[in-house]
Amino acid sequence: MKKFNFRKVLDGLTASSPGSGSSSGSNSGGAGSGSVHPGGTAGLPREEIQESLTSDYFQICKTVRHGFPYQPTALAFDPVQKILAIGTRTGAIRILGRPGVDCYCQHESGAAVLQLQFLINEGALVSASSDDTLHLWNLRQKRPAILHSLKFNRERITYCHLPFQSKWLYVGTERGNTHIVNIESFILSGYVIMWNKAIELSTKTHPGPVVHLSDSPRDEGKLLIGYENGTVVFWDLKSKRAELRVYYDEAIHSIDWHHEGKQFMCSHSDGSLTLWNLKSPSRPFQTTVPHGKSQREGRKSESCKPILKVEYKTCRNSEPFIIFSGGLSYDKACRRPSLTIMHGKAITVLEMDHPIVEFLTLCETPYPNEFQEPYAVAVLLEKDLIVVDLTQTNFPIFENPYPMDIHESPVTCTAYFADCPPDLILVLYSIGVKHKKQGYSNKEWPVSGGAWNLGAQTYPEIIITGHADGTIKFWDASAMTLQMLYKLKTSKVFEKQKAGEGKQTCELVEEDPFAVQMIYWCPESRIFCVSGVSAYVIIYKFSRHEVTTEIVSLEVRLQCDVEDIITPEPETSPPFPDLSSQLPPSRSLSGSTNTVSSEGVTKDSIPCLSVKTRPVRMPPGYQADLVIQLVWVDGEPPQQITSLSISSAYGIVAFGNCTGLVVVDFIQKTVLLSMGTIDLYRSSDLYQRQPRSPRKNRQFIAGLTELNDSPVPLELERCKSPTSGLATRTPEAAPGFYRNEMPAVKQRSQVHHLPETRENSYNRSRSSSISSIDKDSKEAITALYFMESFARKNDSTVSPCLFVGTSLGMVVLISLNLPSSDEQRFTEPVVVLPSGTFLSLKGAVLTFSCMDRTGSLMQPPYEVWRDPNNTDENEKTWKRKLVMNYSSSSQEMGDHQYTIICSEKQAKVFSLPSQTCLYVHNITETSFILQADVVVMCNSACLACFCANGHIMIMSLPSLRPMLDVNYLPLTDMRIARTFCFTNEGQALYLVSPTEIQRLTYSQEMCDNIQDMLGDLFTPIETPEAQNRGFLKGLFGGSGQTFDREELFGEASAGKASRSLAQHIPGPGSIEGMKGAAGGVMGELTRARIALDERGQRLGELEEKTAGMMTSAEAFSKHAHELMLKYKDKKWYQF
């Protein structure tokens, strides 16, 4: 879209809006009109804060995609450029080279990729799609583009073959015909090999689709055509007839030549391999069933599973390699998919973890008529890519430098940190490298093509992914790459579940009880906190030393009695329930029962998982410091955690769910607060109690979460907030009455009981939280934030505070009274009390942030990291080193700060301590915000939002002026909502498929420099020269004549193809652009040399033809003269 004019319009509208004007509502596009209210008693006028960001700083574009290509279908390799291409079922192509060279491109049609063919060492790629279209891709640019497309209208493409250094592509179809396409012009030749001409006239059945095409290594003028029903035709292209035919009673899946061109091998549907000799085509030269049981002589071998592909590769100094997939015996049904390598008499079966999609043997030479000298096998699996080293007898695999294991366990949440402390990457890598797998090949990764440099972006970036099996992975994402740094297994703090225990103790989830739900990381203090779907929180501290210790655990009973409140609105369904004021909030810790209630007995005070009670050895890295678990209450399991935050400076962790809030001191390992959400309001009597109706029975909705995603969009759900039409609470409401139109279920995610599978469940969610909150009317805690702020309206100095945001748009400030000295911090209690300060917004609160009086973003205070297990330091003299991130002048009387709060509907900026609302921006009315973050870009803060209708919006701070509004990606999958996250320096990411991470930028500067950051797919390399065949081989080894495909397939001799057969579609690129992008000296010299050789050959042929014509002319003149003399003197009547 044209963003230039739109930006100026946004800036102009915002600049011209009156300061005291107030407007509400927004368009369906997502960006609403802002309501601006000038500050009253609080501090500075807004004109004194100069905002440096304008709309010219922002632009959306995708940068790079990481991970394994989702649902792969095709594989190709360029042996000269040494780059690999993978096609997928969704029409995507990933091109891989050396680490850092990773390119993603997409067919606009989205049709599955059937086959890929490199133009070897030419910087181009041909793709065949399931919509029967051929595409030519230009790889001589950092972002490949389609040069030409050819759409077949009447026949379906089944197989393609492009001979080395040829510009004519053979295309086989489902009808059994073979067409020929000119690669340069992408025009169909008039030369066609019809199926009925290829087979014998006496054959009464159709041979089936073409499953193989290849020219003979011995003679380029001969084409081998394999048909599905077992027929193989050796076609003479010049004479346009079949030179020989081969028939076999089993279906053919693949064919491969011996390099001498005298033999070829076929793989069949009965698990057999047949070797054929061109001199005796009547029967196979050799037939083997590699995995079949040996039978007596005269009896046919036992049938096995089909061999889907075979490759026959020769070596100069050893026996040939025969490599194939499939072919296992049927009596071994439980065996995993396998790749078999036959080398001489040795047979090696490599079992794979996933089904094999395709494999290719990597050879030293691109010439098919030379010894192939295979050195590796690239095996494309459904969920992995491995390369096997053939040069070692035990066939080890190469260590994969690409992040192909992101999906090793399904990703459940993500976090992205840009410009983090530079020493973290080195520290995490040094710890993680000790736990890497061993046994890899000692040789370098063979896919080493392309070129890549660091570029201008040098700041460190880290991506963290949480997974369904409880693992946490730290990735180095610097400079557009992705490399595994460190892996943490959270499940190790819990006991392994015995058979049958899962159904009794883990009713919250049917599977994956250790799934990671939320993560919170402080890079400066290296404190790491994680919450799981089984209602637990684990706090980790980083140490370079191994330690063996017991894991401290707390069990928290978070109880909330809900009763109905009479509402005056008769049209409402169930009324809004309230807490019973007769029961005090529970703050007690229940002892660990470690028992499972028998059937019929109400469960109470039992956690979902059992923490290990014995001493545990913890290796260097992140070590568990404290485990906090919510327990069952009166037969009801604990609700999932919906918000999480931790402060290393305060030593406090806070988390909440739809029941209430828990605050824990992780230094003293004590619970400071365990309170129902509605109890947070009691101190100010904001809502007075009214007579209650008798309490109803509550029903718990089983099932915590669905960890995977739904590819099915629900338009009505996407355009409607999870809280639209739900209860809203405002201080101006009549005491005791809650305005509600339906049960007030406010949550991060809500399970809809529809027919669903693990890959097909649509939960309306707004962020990384994937919890399921029951449909009782409860107010969930949705956002938490620690900061030095003004807890009360009349405060003159800042103090430690906890901002609590709820699902009904309420913000509660909780005051934290910490001991004054370090010594007292370890012994004296911390007092946590609601301050009585309340703020309100429309919709569930998503995020908080604070700015100082100058408009600079304030960072939460943190404790400088120190190794907790370092024995070299004197523990008695050590003191905690805190970084508070605010100046001493900020504590002066009358000073203030700005607090930014964003909900799923609007954003507000308050001035504290006056609590005056300075700015309001109604972001959306027809949709809702999924993810919002305050980020730093160009040393200035801005608010970034991702909306459920697909819009990405950026607003300046503190004025909330719209900077960018782009319809980027409609919410069609819950995976996007769960994993989308923003970070500093204009970057963001989300999980675009179950196996891939898509990174994008909203920075104009990065969009302008993206070409410098990406790798080059094509590098000028001279094509290796063909080996000298020798005089005898040249004389007896094959046809000595040169084969001119241009003369045979060109329009002059073959004519034009039918226009209705295929349609040529010009691509966005062009041949001129391709030639201009080539620009390599070696490539130009090679082309010039080839052109010169072709010209010399044509001149020689022309000279021969001219001599023949002169001889014919002389003979014709002689005969004409003789005829004239014979009839010279005869009269007319004598004839």
Side-chain angles (χ1 to χ4, degrees):
M1 71 183 280
K2 297 288 186 181
K3 303 182 182 66
F4 178 77
N5 294 334
F6 184 60
R7 291 173 179 158
K8 299 305 180 185
V9 170
L10 287 176
D11 286 344
L13 287 174
T14 309
S16 61
S17 61
S20 60
S22 176
S23 60
S24 61
S26 66
N27 54 22
S28 60
S33 54
S35 302
V36 180
H37 303 277
T41 60
L44 300 175
R46 58 176 180 163
E47 288 78 14
E48 295 190 16
I49 297 180
Q50 299 295 327
E51 296 180 0
S52 58
L53 293 178
T54 65
S55 57
D56 293 329
Y57 283 79
F58 300 95
Q59 182 181 347
I60 295 286
C61 74
K62 295 179 181 179
T63 53
V64 68
R65 183 172 292 199
H66 302 296
F68 181 75
Y70 185 53
Q71 296 179 330
T73 55
L75 182 69
F77 181 71
D78 188 327
V80 179
Q81 288 290 321
K82 295 191 182 302
I83 56 176
L84 190 77
I86 301 175
T88 72
R89 194 177 302 171
T90 58
I93 298 177
R94 286 280 293 282
I95 304 172
L96 305 171
R98 67 176 67 248
V101 179
D102 187 345
C103 180
Y104 166 83
C105 42
Q106 175 73 43
H107 293 91
E108 290 185 2
S109 64
V113 178
L114 296 179
Q115 195 175 352
L116 295 171
Q117 287 269 314
F118 276 106
L119 277 67
I120 296 177
N121 203 28
E122 292 293 332
L125 175 71
V126 175
S127 62
S129 302
S130 59
D131 60 352
D132 306 309
T133 306
L134 298 173
H135 305 275
L136 178 63
W137 295 83
N138 175 21
L139 306 184
R140 293 173 179 255
Q141 54 193 48
K142 293 191 175 182
R143 291 193 181 274
I146 294 178
L147 298 173
H148 300 283
S149 298
L150 188 67
K151 169 72 173 175
F152 281 75
N153 297 323
R154 295 186 298 183
E155 297 192 52
R156 308 215 64 179
I157 299 173
T158 56
Y159 195 87
C160 298
H161 171 64
L162 180 65
F164 178 48
Q165 292 183 332
S166 170
K167 65 177 183 180
W168 296 95
L169 175 72
Y170 300 109
V171 181
T173 68
E174 193 175 34
R175 292 186 180 181
N177 302 324
T178 302
H179 302 274
I180 301 170
V181 178
N182 187 311
I183 289 296
E184 293 181 350
S185 62
F186 239 57
I187 296 176
L188 206 60
S189 169
Y191 192 109
V192 183
I193 304 175
M194 305 299 291
W195 68 271
N196 54 355
K197 299 289 183 65
I199 65 174
E200 288 184 341
L201 296 177
S202 59
T203 305
K204 297 180 180 180
T205 59
H206 191 279
V210 175
V211 296
H212 178 81
L213 292 169
S214 62
D215 53 343
S216 169
R218 193 179 185 188
D219 186 356
E220 296 177 350
K222 307 292 176 59
L223 183 67
L224 192 70
I225 308 173
Y227 295 95
E228 189 179 57
N229 73 341
T231 301
V232 181
V233 176
F234 195 50
W235 183 265
D236 190 330
L237 293 169
K238 288 184 179 179
S239 62
K240 300 182 180 180
R241 64 179 182 84
E243 186 169 300
L244 61 89
R245 297 179 179 89
V246 167
Y247 297 98
Y248 196 69
D249 55 0
E250 293 291 341
I252 292 177
H253 286 280
S254 69
I255 303 175
D256 200 19
W257 280 101
H258 187 279
H259 83 276
E260 292 180 349
K262 298 177 182 179
Q263 297 175 343
F264 61 89
M265 181 174 289
C266 302
S267 68
H268 301 278
S269 58
D270 63 345
S272 64
L273 296 173
T274 55
L275 185 63
W276 300 81
N277 196 314
L278 295 181
K279 291 183 179 180
S280 55
S282 58
R283 53 185 298 222
F285 174 73
Q286 181 181 347
T287 302
T288 58
V289 183
H291 294 296
K293 294 181 179 179
S294 58
Q295 303 286 346
R296 295 180 181 177
E297 293 185 4
R299 296 185 61 184
K300 188 177 179 180
S301 299
E302 176 193 25
S303 294
C304 294
K305 296 177 182 179
I307 295 179
L308 302 179
K309 184 178 182 179
V310 64
E311 292 205 348
Y312 188 21
K313 303 301 179 184
T314 55
C315 303
R316 186 180 300 275
N317 299 319
S318 65
E319 295 291 327
F321 279 91
I322 300 174
I323 305 171
F324 61 89
S325 61
L328 295 179
S329 176
Y330 279 106
D331 62 353
K332 299 177 181 178
C334 297
R335 289 190 63 173
R336 295 184 292 180
S338 65
L339 183 78
T340 303
I341 301 175
M342 299 174 63
H343 189 213
K345 295 183 179 180
I347 299 179
T348 304
V349 179
L350 305 178
E351 292 189 343
M352 304 296 170
D353 294 331
H354 310 284
I356 297 175
V357 176
E358 173 70 286
F359 74 89
L360 288 174
T361 306
L362 312 187
C363 301
E364 296 287 353
T365 177
Y367 295 94
N369 57 355
E370 298 178 357
F371 283 101
Q372 298 299 289
E373 302 294 344
Y375 59 89
V377 181
V379 187
L380 179 64
L381 308 177
E382 279 190 359
K383 294 184 178 181
D384 201 1
L385 171 68
I386 65 171
V387 180
V388 181
D389 187 357
L390 294 179
T391 61
Q392 300 184 39
T393 54
N394 58 339
F395 301 128
I397 64 172
F398 291 88
E399 185 177 3
N400 198 326
Y402 315 123
M404 294 292 183
D405 57 346
I406 293 175
H407 62 287
E408 186 177 17
S409 175
V411 177
T412 55
C413 61
T414 59
Y416 192 6
F417 299 87
D419 203 11
C420 51
D423 61 329
L424 269 179
I425 291 178
L426 183 60
V427 169
L428 290 171
Y429 180 78
S430 63
I431 298 295
V433 74
K434 299 176 183 178
H435 304 285
K436 280 194 173 182
K437 296 179 181 178
Q438 304 297 323
Y440 291 111
S441 172
N442 54 10
K443 296 189 176 181
E444 293 185 359
W445 179 254
V447 185
S448 57
W452 177 78
N453 52 31
L454 284 174
Q457 181 184 338
T458 57
Y459 53 82
E461 301 172 71
I462 292 179
I463 294 173
I464 304 177
T465 56
H467 299 265
D469 62 352
T471 58
I472 304 286
K473 294 182 180 180
F474 292 76
W475 306 84
D476 177 11
S478 307
M480 295 293 176
T481 62
L482 195 68
Q483 181 183 7
M484 168 82 87
L485 292 175
Y486 175 70
K487 185 177 180 179
L488 173 67
K489 295 182 178 179
T490 62
S491 60
K492 286 190 173 182
V493 305
F494 300 105
E495 297 284 359
K496 291 183 179 180
Q497 291 184 343
K498 298 179 181 179
E501 270 192 13
K503 294 183 179 179
Q504 294 177 327
T505 61
C506 295
E507 282 84 348
L508 288 176
V509 282
E510 295 180 358
E511 53 188 44
D512 299 323
F514 307 111
V516 177
Q517 184 180 7
M518 304 181 76
I519 52 182
Y520 192 97
W521 188 44
C522 178
E524 290 80 10
S525 64
R526 302 185 187 177
I527 291 285
F528 184 73
C529 191
V530 57
S531 70
V533 293
S534 297
Y536 63 83
V537 172
I538 308 175
I539 300 171
Y540 289 91
K541 290 185 177 180
F542 188 84
S543 175
R544 298 176 185 266
H545 305 280
E546 181 178 316
V547 65
T548 300
T549 183
E550 292 187 2
I551 301 173
V552 181
S553 64
L554 296 176
E555 296 177 2
V556 182
R557 183 182 178 90
L558 187 58
Q559 186 173 357
C560 178
D561 265 350
V562 179
E563 295 190 8
D564 297 332
I565 289 183
I566 300 174
T567 173
E569 298 163 347
E571 68 276 6
T572 59
S573 323
F576 190 95
D578 191 13
L579 247 174
S580 172
S581 60
Q582 300 174 0
L583 292 176
S586 172
R587 297 185 178 87
S588 62
L589 295 179
S590 63
S592 177
T593 60
N594 291 328
T595 59
V596 178
S597 301
S598 59
E599 259 185 63
V601 180
T602 301
K603 294 183 181 180
D604 191 65
S605 302
I606 300 174
C608 297
L609 301 172
S610 298
V611 179
K612 291 180 179 178
T613 55
R614 62 185 182 278
V616 178
R617 185 188 70 85
M618 300 182 186
Y622 274 105
Q623 300 168 350
D625 183 63
L626 177 64
V627 180
I628 309 165
Q629 290 182 284
L630 299 180
V631 297
W632 287 65
V633 177
D634 297 333
E636 292 189 4
Q639 299 296 326
Q640 286 189 61
I641 294 169
T642 57
S643 57
L644 175 68
S645 185
I646 190 169
S647 173
S648 60
Y650 305 153
I652 295 176
V653 61
F655 60 92
N657 58 13
C658 70
T659 304
L661 174 68
V662 177
V663 181
V664 175
D665 182 350
F666 66 81
I667 293 180
Q668 300 184 28
K669 309 295 190 294
T670 58
V671 177
L672 303 176
L673 182 72
S674 176
M675 183 179 289
T677 309
I678 205 162
D679 290 318
L680 298 175
Y681 304 107
R682 283 183 174 172
S683 59
S684 63
D685 292 329
L686 184 64
Y687 305 104
Q688 300 177 11
R689 303 289 169 174
Q690 295 292 321
R692 298 183 240 330
S693 59
R695 182 167 59 179
K696 289 186 177 181
N697 293 330
R698 291 168 290 163
Q699 294 180 352
F700 174 74
I701 297 174
L704 240 181
T705 180
E706 199 62 51
L707 293 174
N708 284 337
D709 321 292
S710 164
V712 182
L714 300 178
E715 294 296 332
L716 294 177
E717 301 292 344
R718 192 179 69 189
C719 299
K720 185 178 180 181
S721 162
T723 57
S724 59
L726 302 185
T728 58
R729 178 184 297 171
T730 60
E732 294 78 17
F737 296 102
Y738 299 97
R739 300 183 58 82
N740 61 326
E741 299 174 10
M742 59 183 292
V745 186
K746 192 65 193 78
Q747 57 209 34
R748 288 260 176 178
S749 175
Q750 181 175 351
V751 171
H752 297 269
H753 294 273
L754 300 173
E756 58 185 26
T757 64
R758 184 170 171 81
E759 286 292 334
N760 184 18
S761 64
Y762 188 90
N763 301 332
R764 290 188 319 194
S765 173
R766 296 188 310 273
S767 70
S768 61
S769 174
I770 50 173
S771 64
S772 166
I773 301 174
D774 69 63
K775 292 184 179 179
D776 280 349
S777 304
K778 296 178 181 179
E779 184 176 7
I781 306 296
T782 58
L784 295 167
Y785 179 65
F786 288 99
M787 177 52 76
E788 296 282 314
S789 187
F790 301 92
R792 297 170 182 83
K793 196 165 187 177
N794 297 323
D795 285 357
S796 59
T797 58
V798 295
S799 60
C801 293
L802 173 61
F803 289 77
V804 180
T806 74
S807 56
L808 297 184
M810 296 300 297
V811 177
V812 181
L813 264 69
I814 294 181
S815 177
L816 310 174
N817 295 322
L818 304 173
S820 57
S821 65
D822 286 340
E823 293 79 8
Q824 294 176 342
R825 179 64 186 87
F826 291 92
T827 57
E828 297 294 325
V830 177
V831 180
V832 179
L833 290 174
S835 65
T837 298
F838 303 96
L839 306 172
S840 64
L841 290 85
K842 185 195 303 181
V845 178
L846 300 181
T847 189
F848 299 96
S849 193
C850 288
M851 303 177 75
D852 61 20
R853 62 196 301 267
T854 64
S856 300
L857 189 65
M858 298 174 60
Q859 299 297 333
Y862 64 88
E863 178 187 358
V864 177
W865 175 78
R866 170 190 168 274
D867 196 328
N869 301 320
N870 193 351
T871 57
D872 297 336
E873 297 183 15
N874 190 341
E875 297 291 336
K876 295 182 180 179
T877 60
W878 173 80
K879 292 185 178 181
R880 300 174 69 221
K881 184 179 179 181
L882 305 182
V883 178
M884 304 309 292
N885 287 322
Y886 63 86
S887 61
S888 59
S889 62
S890 64
Q891 300 189 41
E892 297 175 0
M893 180 68 69
D895 202 5
H896 70 282
Q897 65 180 205
Y898 300 100
T899 298
I900 301 102
I901 308 175
C902 184
S903 73
E904 64 177 9
K905 290 292 185 180
Q906 64 179 189
K908 286 186 178 182
V909 177
F910 292 91
S911 176
L912 297 182
S914 68
Q915 301 177 15
T916 305
C917 181
L918 299 179
Y919 305 94
V920 180
H921 184 76
N922 293 317
I923 300 174
T924 179
E925 293 289 348
T926 59
S927 186
F928 57 96
I929 303 299
L930 292 166
Q931 183 67 32
D933 283 295
V934 175
V935 294
V936 175
M937 183 171 155
C938 300
N939 298 320
S940 297
C942 57
L943 177 63
C945 302
F946 176 54
C947 194
N949 59 12
H951 283 247
I952 291 179
M953 292 159 283
I954 310 293
M955 283 150 281
S956 67
L957 292 176
S959 66
L960 297 177
R961 290 184 298 114
M963 297 283 99
L964 178 73
D965 184 358
V966 174
N967 188 3
Y968 172 74
L969 180 71
L971 179 62
T972 56
D973 203 310
M974 271 314 304
R975 183 192 317 107
I976 300 171
R978 191 177 63 243
T979 58
F980 198 103
C981 54
F982 294 98
T983 189
N984 297 332
E985 307 302 334
Q987 297 203 65
L989 66 79
Y990 60 94
L991 206 67
V992 68
S993 74
T995 62
E996 295 170 290
I997 289 177
Q998 177 67 58
R999 292 166 67 179
L1000 63 140
T1001 180
Y1002 48 92
S1003 166
Q1004 177 69 60
E1005 181 182 4
M1006 185 172 288
C1007 289
D1008 295 339
N1009 299 327
I1010 189 67
Q1011 292 294 331
D1012 298 332
M1013 302 177 187
L1014 300 177
D1016 293 300
L1017 297 174
F1018 178 81
T1019 54
I1021 300 175
E1022 187 172 3
T1023 303
E1025 294 185 1
Q1027 296 177 3
N1028 187 2
R1029 301 186 65 194
F1031 174 75
L1032 294 178
K1033 283 192 176 182
L1035 184 63
F1036 301 107
S1039 175
Q1041 301 178 0
T1042 58
F1043 177 62
D1044 188 357
R1045 292 186 177 92
E1046 179 69 32
E1047 181 181 357
L1048 190 60
F1049 302 144
E1051 186 177 331
S1053 58
K1056 292 184 178 181
S1058 172
R1059 292 184 178 181
S1060 61
L1061 183 60
Q1063 176 186 1
H1064 176 259
I1065 305 171
S1070 63
I1071 293 296
E1072 289 77 12
M1074 183 177 178
K1075 290 180 179 179
V1081 177
M1082 295 296 181
E1084 295 296 339
L1085 288 176
T1086 303
R1087 291 189 192 87
R1089 187 178 62 187
I1090 294 173
L1092 187 61
D1093 292 343
E1094 291 179 353
R1095 182 172 180 271
Q1097 293 172 4
R1098 292 176 185 175
L1099 286 176
E1101 293 173 0
L1102 181 62
E1103 186 177 354
E1104 293 177 0
K1105 290 181 180 180
T1106 303
M1109 290 176 65
M1110 290 179 64
T1111 303
S1112 300
E1114 290 176 359
F1116 178 77
S1117 175
K1118 181 179 179 181
H1119 288 300
H1121 184 70
E1122 292 175 354
L1123 188 62
M1124 181 195 69
L1125 294 177
K1126 182 178 179 180
Y1127 295 103
K1128 180 178 179 182
D1129 297 328
K1130 288 188 178 183
K1131 304 297 182 181
W1132 61 271
Y1133 52 83
Q1134 293 177 329
F1135 287 97

